[in-house]
Every structure is written in C-alpha cells, then in structure tokens.
Amino acid sequence: MKRVAVILSGCGYLDGAEIRESVLALLYLDQAGAKVEIFAPDIDQYHVVDHLSGNPTKESRNVLKESARIARSKIKPLQQLHAVDFDALVLPGGYGVAKNLSDFAFKGKDASVEPDFARVVTEFYQAQKPIGAICIAPAVLAVILQSQGGATVTIGEDAGTAAAITACGSTHEICDTEDFVYDPANKIASCSAYMREDSIAKVAQGIEKVVKQVLSVA
Amino acid sequence: MKRVAVILSGCGYLDGAEIRESVLALLYLDQAGAKVEIFAPDIDQYHVVDHLSGNPTKESRNVLKESARIARSKIKPLQQLHAVDFDALVLPGGYGVAKNLSDFAFKGKDASVEPDFARVVTEFYQAQKPIGAICIAPAVLAVILQSQGGATVTIGEDAGTAAAITACGSTHEICDTEDFVYDPANKIASCSAYMREDSIAKVAQGIEKVVKQVLSVA
C-alpha cells in the first residue's frame, strides 16, 4: 500500500485550497488503494474572501482549521510531515497555494514560500519520490526548485504563470485540462485543473491521470 | 440535457454541507451531462465549528457565502429555486442539512424546516420530479413529507435516525454505503454516504448510483 501525503492550503479556491481539486485527488488516491494522510500549515490565511461577492472580508481564519473541513478533521500540522514517512506527495491547487503556502499570487517568480512547505517539497524532490502538482501548485514548485535544477510542469496555458515558471529555470508545457504532463527525470506529474474555468468532469480527468502516474512510480 | 438543482447548506460536515458529498454529486452530474445550478439559503449558519477541535467557535458565517466556496461562486439564493425550472433535485448531506436547513440535529422528527427548503422539496415531490437525497438529507425529507405521504429512504443503519424517519410516516431501509435505495412511487433515490465513517471511494459509489438513478427517471 502506497503512503501518500496531501497538503491543503485552506478551504475555498479564492483564499484556500481548491475544494473540488482536493476532493478529487482524495477520491482517486483512495480508489487506487493509497494510504493517505492530510497536512496543512498551522498559520493564518493571507486573507478571507467572500466567495459570493469575490471581495476580501475583515475575518481571520487558520489554514489548518479550514483545511480540516475538507479533511473531515483527520489532518496534521505540516511541520509533522517528513518525506521519509511517505512514498509520494500530492498538492491540490487553489489560491491558498499562492497566498498561504507562498506569496506567488503577489510576487510571481520572486515569491517567498512557507518554510515547511518548501522543506517538504525539497525532501520529496531530493529523495526522488514522486510529486503530483495540480492547478497553480506546479508554479510554486518551480519557485521552490529554482536553485535545485527545476522540473518540467504544466499550469495549462496561462502566459504570465508560464513565464514565471520559465524564469525560475523550469520548463512549462501547454496542456489541456483533461490531460497531464509528466517529468520522468524528476518524477513530477502536473495538470492544470481549475487554472481554466472548465467542467468538473474535465478537471477530474486530469487529476485522475496525475494520481495514477504518481502512484505508478511511487 | 437534464436540468438539475443542487442545494448546499454551508461548507464543512460539522456545520454545513458535507464537502466531499457535494463535490462527488457535482462530479457525477457533470459526467452524465446534466446542466447543474447550485442554490443555498441566504441565512446565517446555526453555528460555526472548528473542524480541527470539533468545538463551536464564536464566529458567524452565512450559508450562501460559505456554500459559494464549493460552488466556485456560481450559486443563487434558495428563494430563486422553483421546481418548474428543473427536472430533478439533488441534496448532499452534512450537519448543515440538520442544523441550517432544519433543526433536525436537535429535534429529530419534531424538527422545523427552513421555509424555502421545505417549499422546494414539496414542489419537486408534488410534481413527481426525482429527488436524490444523500447522508442525513433523507431524514429531513421525511420530516418535510410527513403530511404528504412520506417515502422510502435510507440513511444507512443509524437506529435513532431511522426511528425518526419511521415516526414521520416514511419507511427506512438499511443499506450499505456503496449502495442506494430507490422509491419508484415517489422517485426518491437515497444513499447514506458519510452517515458512516467509510472510505471516500465507497461513499462515491453510493452517490454515483443515486445520481444515475435520478437522471434516468428525470
């Protein structure tokens, strides 16, 4: 049974983890028989967004507590995650990856990354354990890996994000929502998911392919 | 193309809609080619629960705004939902159905139901348009339908909840998580989902069967 760690970044695409991407990753991991543990950093969100209006509110929410909604309370602080205990890592997207796990949403290639998130990704990368990266997560992966050789990934076709990936020394490949890109040298599989406002059925196809690829090489 | 309305009750199984059930219902509806619209009441949640500790907090959150996290902002107030505009209704579960859409969590068979939720369910029922009810939703359905002839449903095997359903004049059938119960006379399909703490793959099987049944008779 493959042991897979999943990192969430809140609960809601505008200020946290993309909910559907997170659930679909958990679904396909479970269907494939993986043993999954879920983690999130015990930090405040960058901000809280009213998902009806799209505007920020004055509330404050904690990334670990909000991620626990998706995890059905079975979640651990990210600082407890170590690659040595797992066979693979899966990273759903959402603005939480670019606002809470990093500030990529504001600084692009010059982003800072939450220290435990950078540490964990680096551990899996250096141990040659596979990483599945969904939506905007591949771009933050490129930021983390810029001093370590980078990788080949996709975030779909968004030109600005693709340029940031290239500026970090990684390679970007354009890819349809229902497909995925695999970098065999670095064991990194990625798909764009809700980087495009596509149907959930198409988003699910890309995520299922990423999960299967990750498990096949774990 | 079948037009299906989905009603959410927040975002998080302890104080709102069960996130995974909601996403899985949306996935299988989309995979089957249904045209989906999502609704939630524009009311405050009964309370907010910290999903890490399981304890209520002092926060206040709005059901429509929190449901918008799952709906990716494409959601309408429940008062705008009328059965005449749709072919079927799908109701994910979570404590939100029993705390926000009703007070079933506290009063069981004597629960009061949010007026628009009761109106919408009654409209679909009386129009003989199919209803898919997931997790705890079948129990609240039984409360709403107690003066209208009831239905045959499942919530899995929880004895207390099953007794409340029976007390409302409906019939409860014990059912495994990965299966579903169909009442052909009332066109109501139900499954227990996270009424049991089962795997997401099993929960998904039950929900997929409910969605397919609902669409096949819509």
Side-chain angles (χ1 to χ4, degrees):
Chain A
M1 186 179 267
K2 306 285 174 68
R3 303 159 300 169
V4 180
V6 174
I7 300 177
L8 299 182
S9 58
C11 181
Y13 75 113
L14 294 175
D15 60 17
E18 213 300 318
I19 290 172
R20 301 176 183 190
E21 293 170 5
S22 304
V23 171
L24 293 167
L26 295 174
L27 172 68
Y28 296 123
L29 284 166
D30 190 47
Q31 284 184 343
K35 178 172 162 49
V36 173
E37 286 190 60
I38 305 173
F39 298 85
D42 187 6
I43 57 174
D44 280 345
Q45 296 185 186
Y46 170 75
H47 63 179
V48 177
V49 175
D50 174 342
H51 280 59
L52 189 64
S53 70
N55 297 321
T57 74
K58 291 179 178 173
E59 292 165 272
S60 170
R61 298 187 186 181
N62 175 284
V63 174
L64 179 59
K65 291 181 180 180
E66 296 307 316
S67 300
R69 294 175 174 272
I70 298 172
R72 289 180 55 83
S73 308
K74 295 181 193 67
I75 190 165
K76 292 177 181 172
L78 184 56
Q79 60 190 27
Q80 295 180 16
L81 172 51
H82 304 282
V84 68
D85 299 322
F86 290 89
D87 301 306
L89 176 66
V90 171
L91 307 171
Y95 267 112
V97 178
K99 290 178 178 176
N100 302 330
L101 302 186
S102 74
D103 54 8
F104 183 86
F106 314 108
K107 297 189 180 165
K109 71 176 177 57
D110 300 317
S112 301
V113 180
E114 196 281 324
D116 272 309
F117 186 59
R119 172 187 59 78
V120 167
V121 166
T122 301
E123 283 181 13
F124 278 87
Y125 180 80
Q126 293 186 344
Q128 299 251 335
K129 293 185 173 182
I131 301 174
I134 296 162
C135 185
I136 193 67
V140 181
L141 222 59
V143 171
I144 297 169
L145 301 178
Q146 64 186 315
S147 60
Q148 304 175 52
T152 297
V153 296
T154 189
I155 48 82
E157 61 185 345
D158 179 74
T161 310
I165 289 170
T166 306
C168 289
S170 282
T171 302
H172 180 262
E173 288 185 6
I174 291 175
C175 184
D176 290 338
T177 304
E178 57 269 46
D179 212 341
F180 79 113
V181 164
Y182 183 58
D183 173 346
N186 296 299
K187 294 189 181 171
I188 293 177
S190 54
C191 67
S192 55
Y194 279 111
M195 286 294 293
R196 291 190 191 87
E197 191 59 49
D198 245 329
S199 73
I200 186 171
K202 280 190 181 179
V203 166
Q205 285 180 57
I207 292 172
E208 184 172 20
K209 287 172 185 171
V210 163
V211 166
K212 284 185 172 172
Q213 179 64 46
V214 162
L215 291 177
S216 76
V217 295
Chain B
M1 185 179 266
K2 306 285 174 68
R3 303 160 300 170
V4 181
V6 173
I7 300 177
L8 299 182
S9 59
C11 180
Y13 76 113
L14 294 176
D15 60 16
E18 213 300 318
I19 289 171
R20 300 175 183 190
E21 293 170 5
S22 304
V23 171
L24 293 168
L26 295 174
L27 173 67
Y28 296 123
L29 284 166
D30 190 46
Q31 284 184 342
K35 179 173 162 47
V36 173
E37 286 190 59
I38 305 173
F39 298 85
D42 186 6
I43 58 174
D44 279 346
Q45 295 184 185
Y46 169 76
H47 62 180
V48 177
V49 176
D50 174 341
H51 280 58
L52 189 65
S53 69
N55 296 322
T57 75
K58 293 180 176 171
E59 292 165 272
S60 171
R61 297 186 186 182
N62 175 282
V63 175
L64 178 59
K65 290 179 181 181
E66 296 307 316
S67 300
R69 294 175 175 271
I70 299 172
R72 289 181 55 83
S73 309
K74 294 181 194 68
I75 191 164
K76 292 177 182 172
L78 184 56
Q79 60 190 30
Q80 296 181 17
L81 172 52
H82 303 282
V84 66
D85 299 322
F86 291 90
D87 300 306
L89 177 67
V90 171
L91 307 171
Y95 267 111
V97 179
K99 291 178 177 176
N100 301 330
L101 302 186
S102 74
D103 54 9
F104 184 87
F106 315 108
K107 298 189 179 164
K109 70 176 178 59
D110 300 317
S112 300
V113 180
E114 196 279 327
D116 272 309
F117 186 58
R119 172 188 60 78
V120 166
V121 166
T122 301
E123 284 180 12
F124 277 87
Y125 180 79
Q126 292 187 344
Q128 299 250 333
K129 292 184 174 182
I131 301 174
I134 296 162
C135 185
I136 194 66
V140 181
L141 222 59
V143 172
I144 297 169
L145 302 178
Q146 64 186 315
S147 60
Q148 304 176 53
T152 297
V153 296
T154 189
I155 50 81
E157 60 186 344
D158 180 74
T161 310
I165 289 170
T166 306
C168 289
S170 282
T171 302
H172 181 261
E173 288 184 6
I174 291 174
C175 183
D176 289 338
T177 304
E178 57 269 46
D179 211 343
F180 79 113
V181 165
Y182 184 57
D183 174 345
N186 296 300
K187 294 188 181 168
I188 293 177
S190 54
C191 67
S192 56
Y194 278 111
M195 285 295 292
R196 292 189 190 88
E197 191 60 48
D198 245 330
S199 73
I200 187 172
K202 281 191 181 179
V203 166
Q205 284 180 57
I207 292 172
E208 184 172 21
K209 288 172 184 170
V210 162
V211 165
K212 284 185 172 171
Q213 180 64 43
V214 161
L215 292 177
S216 75
V217 293

